[in-house]
Amino acid sequence: MDIYNVEAAEILANEAQLLPIGEAAPIYEKLLATFPTAAKYWKQYVEAYMATKDDESTKQIFSRCLLSCLQINLWRCYINFIRRVNDKRGSEGLEETKKAFDFMLNYVGNDVASGPVWMDYIAFLKSMPVVTPHEESHRMTTVRKVYQKAILVPTNHVEQLWKDYENFENSVSRTLAKGLLSEYQPKFNSAKAVYRERKKYIDDIDWNMLAVPPTGSYKEEQQCMAWKRLLAFEKGNPQRIDATTANRRVTFTFEQCLMYLYHHPDIWYDYATWHAKNGSMDSAIKIFQRAVKALPDSEVLKYAFAELEESRGAIQPAKAIYESLVAENAGMTSLAHIQFIRFLRRTEGIEAARKYFLDARKLPSCTYHVYVAYATMAFCLDKDAKVAQSVFEAGLKRFMHEPGYILEYADFLCRLNDDRNVRALFERALSLLPPEESIEVWKRFAQFEQTFGDLSSMLKVEQRRKEALSRTSEDALSALENTLYDIVSRYSYMDLWPCSTKELDYLSRHEWLAKNIANKGDKSVVLTTGATLDKGAARVGSNTKLLPQSGKVVRPEISRMVIYDPRQMKGPDFSTSSGYTKEVDEILKRLSPQMMSFITNLPAIEGPSPDTDIVLSVLLQSTLPVGHNVDKSGLQVPGPSTSDLSGPGKSGLNQNGSIHRPPRDGQSMKRKNSERGRRQEDDDTTTTVQSQAMPRDIFRLRQIQRNRGMGSSQSGSAALSSGSVFSGDQSASSG
């Protein structure tokens, strides 16, 4: 069951609102145990108790949620409760309410929506009764200070607060008001400008989001980025206020952010390190303590916490963190043991680290990584090769079946330049490891011989490797006896290769193809797939595999791909000068006006073109919408317009498919008038002829193109050329 199911939580919360408080309380407790920073659930919970006048329970709930939920609506609910409780307690109650307002504004006064709270507080101060002139003066001074604080906060009511402040100062003393207002005017303008910028970031935040563990959803990622943008904005101190006030705003923003990103370790880490960078180490420690309590399964936060403690010299608190990590992960991973050994070596010395290693290696959960880490530390830090080798030998009895351990031990012996023991180690391991687990060991053995051996030993190990791995499907060399690839493997060094990039790509491709043919017996792979490797990416004879590792890689079909050539010629121009107007006219008369309209408006194209037969067959099977053109007289004319299709001064296609030439001199209007009378008759005729259009007419048109000397790709270009399917380069067509 998913306890972080947001939809189920909303249903429970809605049901609880309809139940008596006795039945609703267990539901709210369950919800808030899962979502401890959900301010809206806390507000519903406390309002349920407020409705029953249970003041004691209400206070207890407020004490549990206020400091962890810095949401303005929840805090306004709190101040309303305080005012109601102290309403009939006279001057003592007023003083308690004033303290509650100060307490509230100290925590949420920087909220962008805190404007109404400032206004409520000012109204409350103004309403307090006074008796003596001294009390009146004190009240005015208090109101002035609150106004001056409020207009410096970039809130949604900052402009209204400024207007109220102007009226207040003018009502007290116009002489004094002039100096004070001129002093605070620039500060108010800065706050107003920052509010506008601040609002852009705040508008991207979902204030109803519940804190759930990261799921990687798009909305969640968007919210994370929105909060980080707001945090970066606040850290930059855009209002250029004093450092103390600016830090309080950043702290407030972090606390609000954690209400929604409570389970995100990077937010906790950023919060703690921000405190540390600003010199508040104690605050950073408190944040880390809250973080490991909120996310008890986050090892990385505990390592970060321990690192911070160690960096400030608090060795014992850091050690306690490491001990908790070891206790929690004893049955899961050896990483905690390794890091604790390193910590002890740094802080308490060699003997403490050695003692812990001797205890840790006896644990059933101890893996070979602990042996490798301690041996490497003894060799590199303690400069004791004998102890390191003894540790490796002790681990060999337990981890001979681990290829990773064999390779680490071999690297150590190579550092000692002990080639004889390296060979003995490889021979011993390869005699015990099954072939499918020995691939990397064989590779390392071959590399070793290339560095330390002679030609005879190199060839011998290569041959033994092929024989040992001949039955495994993972080794590409098993299908070949001797290839040029072997030479490349033996005579390359670091990023230096005995061949060009082109040659390496060729060899890599054929090596991979040979493997696929050998394993699958599918010769079609040669035609449909390929592999090219860059020199820097290929690692011949190394741990990194040279070629694609999986036969499931989806590759594009490239057998029919046409290479783009920008010099490709356009198709011929089917104009009157082309020499075959009559044939074209006969075919175009059979096309529908919709098809002619489509062909007329096809854009120009350069480069590879589609198969014309396929395009036309698809178009003939498609249902195209009926289009109409409107002439100057307002009449609707089916089919394309009679405008110039091939550019100024060139002939085009009429609506009936015949070639149209621009009229000369004053004959244009006469032709238009005479054609209007025949238009209805032409439409009827065109409709009758259109119903007889057949696909073979289109293919006949393409055959005409071919007979005129057009190639396959040229005819494709002609079909998609500018203005008309038949327009193009006249010079090309005439040739």
Side-chain angles (χ1 to χ4, degrees), residues 114-154:
S114 65
V117 179
W118 288 100
M119 297 174 74
D120 289 345
Y121 186 27
I122 293 169
F124 168 76
L125 291 174
K126 289 180 178 180
S127 66
M128 291 183 69
V130 293
V131 178
T132 65
H134 176 72
E135 291 177 347
E136 173 68 18
S137 176
H138 177 70
R139 183 180 68 173
M140 289 301 175
T141 302
T142 304
V143 171
R144 177 179 289 112
K145 288 181 179 179
V146 175
Y147 265 126
Q148 290 172 352
K149 287 182 180 180
I151 60 176
L152 297 181
V153 182

Side-chain angles (χ1 to χ4, degrees), residues 299 302-303 306-307 310 314-330 333-361 363 369-370 373-374 377 381:
E299 291 184 39
K302 293 179 181 178
Y303 285 122
E307 182 181 273
E310 184 182 352
I315 304 302
Q316 290 306 313
K319 186 176 182 179
I321 297 171
Y322 279 111
E323 288 173 344
S324 69
L325 276 166
V326 170
E328 293 168 3
N329 297 283
T333 178
S334 295
L335 181 61
H337 295 301
I338 294 171
Q339 297 301 337
F340 195 22
I341 290 172
R342 291 179 173 178
F343 169 78
L344 291 173
R345 172 64 177 77
R346 290 193 303 266
T347 58
E348 298 183 16
I350 299 173
E351 194 58 35
R354 177 179 174 276
K355 183 179 179 181
Y356 183 79
F357 167 72
L358 294 176
D359 294 337
R361 70 173 186 168
L363 298 173
H369 305 85
V370 178
Y374 183 74
M377 185 179 67
L381 299 182

Side-chain angles (χ1 to χ4, degrees), residues 80 150 165 176 237 240 330 361 384 404 455 459 472 478 487 509 511 632 634 639 659 703 723:
N80 291 335
Y165 178 52
L176 181 62
N237 190 7
R240 300 297 180 263
R361 70 173 186 168
D384 195 335
L455 181 60
L459 297 177
T472 65
S478 60
I487 303 298
R509 171 179 167 79
E511 195 74 18
K632 293 183 179 180
I659 302 301
Q703 187 61 41

